[in-house]
Amino acid sequence: MKKTISFPHLGDYYIPISEFLKRTTKANIIPSPLITKKTISIGSKFSPDSVCLPFKYNLGNFIESLNNGANILFTAGGGCRYRYYAEVTEAILRDLGYSFKFHSIMTNGKIDIKKVYQDFKNINSNLKLTTFIHSGIYTLLFIWNMDKIDKIIRKNIGFEIEKNSHIKLKNKMLKDFINTKSIFKLNLLYFKYKHLFKKISIDKPKNCLKVAIIGELYTAMEPFSSYFLEKELASMNIEIKRYTNLSYLLWQKRLLRRYLLRRTKKYCKYTLGADGLDNVYRTLDVIKKKYDGIIHTKPFGCTPEIGAIPIIQKICQEYEMPIIFFSYDVETSDEGIKTRLEAFYDLLNIRRKKK
């Protein structure tokens, strides 16, 4: 049987992840289909009621991939109760009658490089350690460069003169990233496209509205799960800042933990789990940078964010910072989100005029 690998969808990150799997396993790679309402419908049908929304999205992804011919599945998760979901996911899929091999990148909430390499070696017996390391560095650099470009896009996409010019250029950039195997050339491409993005014609006022997105990591990075929040904000001519990306989660988060505790000691004595502490710090950072408002997103029932919300509310009240909370579940409606977002936009405009 031909080895066919799949994994859950997460924004555009499926592109560098697919390349890494392709270069190291030499297997057939089929990323999960783009998330739709069908995905969450399937995932919810077979998920326990108590699990969070990202679990349901991922389970729906896996079922769609298995139906498309995948027989090897990869997952990752940590930081909160999601670290325990790999075993639950595998049990559900086997109960449904699927036959597959299941690999988790995380062990006890951390990445065990030796174990991961051995898992890949079991799939591709010819895999050399040097190839694995080189592909890993290439993938991390791919993600790092992509995240840096995304920051430029969020600042300017709401003010582009030619519609979709940022997205078109980004798609071209990602294709060029894929077509190079050289780490050095990948860096050259980054600087080339950084220059091209800055040349895109925009009509951006100096005093434009600026909004920061904080909250749970999945709803921050997967556009469908947040009902394409960033796209809606861009259509309102708002500059967007989003803190959470894969670069932050893979290496920056661990390095910043002590710094975050020190900066938030007035409000937090301990970490709150997952990104809870991070979002308390981000609230303070947004206020310091004088943004116009904050949007906090999370799946319904996300325990770390539930713990962080009262602290964030207190800080926003102290500094009179407008904030809106979106808690997503299976029953969340597009119209409800848009209505609340439009009201928040009106609030920010009124507040700006008063100033």
Side-chain angles (χ1 to χ4, degrees), residues 78 94 113 148 152 158 163 184 193 199 260 271 277 309:
R94 296 205 185 281
I113 299 297
K148 287 189 288 184
I152 297 172
K163 193 175 181 181
F184 176 72
Y193 278 98
K199 287 181 68 177
L260 297 183
T271 60
L277 177 70
I309 284 174

Side-chain angles (χ1 to χ4, degrees), residues 138 141-142 145 149 172-197:
Y138 164 88
L141 192 59
F142 190 129
N145 288 338
I149 292 295
K172 188 174 184 298
M173 177 193 79
L174 293 175
K175 286 180 182 178
D176 283 349
F177 277 13
I178 291 170
N179 291 330
T180 180
K181 294 183 179 180
S182 165
I183 291 173
F184 176 72
K185 288 182 180 178
L186 187 63
N187 269 330
L188 290 180
L189 283 171
Y190 161 71
F191 287 109
K192 170 189 170 181
Y193 278 98
K194 182 180 179 182
H195 176 69
L196 290 174
F197 273 105

Side-chain angles (χ1 to χ4, degrees), residues 97-322:
Y98 291 105
S99 178
F100 57 92
K101 289 186 177 179
F102 196 78
H103 298 282
S104 178
I105 298 296
M106 309 293 286
T107 303
N108 297 322
K110 298 178 181 179
I111 298 177
D112 185 340
I113 299 297
K114 289 183 179 179
K115 178 184 176 298
V116 174
Y117 173 65
Q118 191 56 54
D119 286 343
F120 279 70
K121 186 80 171 174
N122 291 336
I123 298 170
N124 176 16
S125 58
N126 295 321
L127 177 63
K128 295 179 181 178
L129 181 59
T130 51
T131 302
F132 180 75
I133 293 172
H134 181 274
S135 298
I137 295 171
Y138 164 88
T139 304
L140 291 175
L141 192 59
F142 190 129
I143 292 169
W144 173 244
N145 288 338
M146 189 172 82
D147 284 340
K148 287 189 288 184
I149 292 295
D150 279 343
K151 289 180 181 179
I152 297 172
I153 293 174
R154 289 189 195 99
K155 282 187 175 183
N156 299 316
I157 191 170
F159 310 95
E160 60 188 12
I161 294 174
E162 182 185 339
K163 193 175 181 181
N164 294 324
S165 53
H166 284 84
I167 299 303
K168 288 177 183 176
L169 185 58
K170 182 182 177 181
N171 290 337
K172 188 174 184 298
M173 177 193 79
L174 293 175
K175 286 180 182 178
D176 283 349
F177 277 13
I178 291 170
N179 291 330
T180 180
K181 294 183 179 180
S182 165
I183 291 173
F184 176 72
K185 288 182 180 178
L186 187 63
N187 269 330
L188 290 180
L189 283 171
Y190 161 71
F191 287 109
K192 170 189 170 181
Y193 278 98
K194 182 180 179 182
H195 176 69
L196 290 174
F197 273 105
K198 289 185 176 181
K199 287 181 68 177
I200 292 177
S201 297
I202 60 172
D203 182 15
K204 182 178 180 180
K206 290 183 178 180
N207 63 337
C208 66
L209 288 175
K210 298 180 181 180
V211 170
I213 299 172
I214 64 173
E216 186 269 340
L217 64 93
Y218 187 88
T219 51
M221 295 190 293
E222 172 47 53
F224 188 91
S225 72
S226 65
Y227 292 75
F228 300 97
L229 176 62
E230 291 184 25
K231 185 178 179 181
E232 290 295 327
L233 291 172
S235 71
M236 296 174 176
N237 304 118
I238 294 175
E239 180 182 313
I240 307 160
K241 180 175 181 61
R242 194 188 84 198
Y243 287 83
T244 303
N245 54 38
L246 208 50
S247 299
Y248 178 80
L249 296 173
L250 287 173
W251 58 83
Q252 292 174 297
K253 182 179 176 70
R254 187 178 296 275
L255 296 174
L256 289 172
R257 185 173 296 168
R258 289 184 180 179
Y259 172 77
L260 297 183
L261 275 170
R262 190 166 65 249
R263 292 299 302 272
T264 59
K265 63 181 180 181
K266 179 181 176 181
Y267 304 96
C268 301
K269 290 185 179 181
Y270 313 101
T271 60
L272 301 171
D275 282 357
L277 177 70
D278 310 59
N279 288 317
V280 173
Y281 166 75
R282 291 163 182 168
T283 304
L284 294 167
D285 188 54
V286 169
I287 291 167
K288 181 181 177 182
K289 292 177 179 176
K290 297 183 179 180
Y291 272 65
D292 293 284
I294 301 173
I295 298 176
H296 181 282
T297 66
K298 73 172 181 66
F300 177 78
C302 178
T303 309
E305 292 307 322
I306 289 172
I309 284 174
I311 304 171
I312 293 170
Q313 286 176 320
K314 180 181 179 182
I315 295 170
C316 288
Q317 287 171 0
E318 284 181 9
Y319 292 94
E320 298 182 345
M321 169 60 70

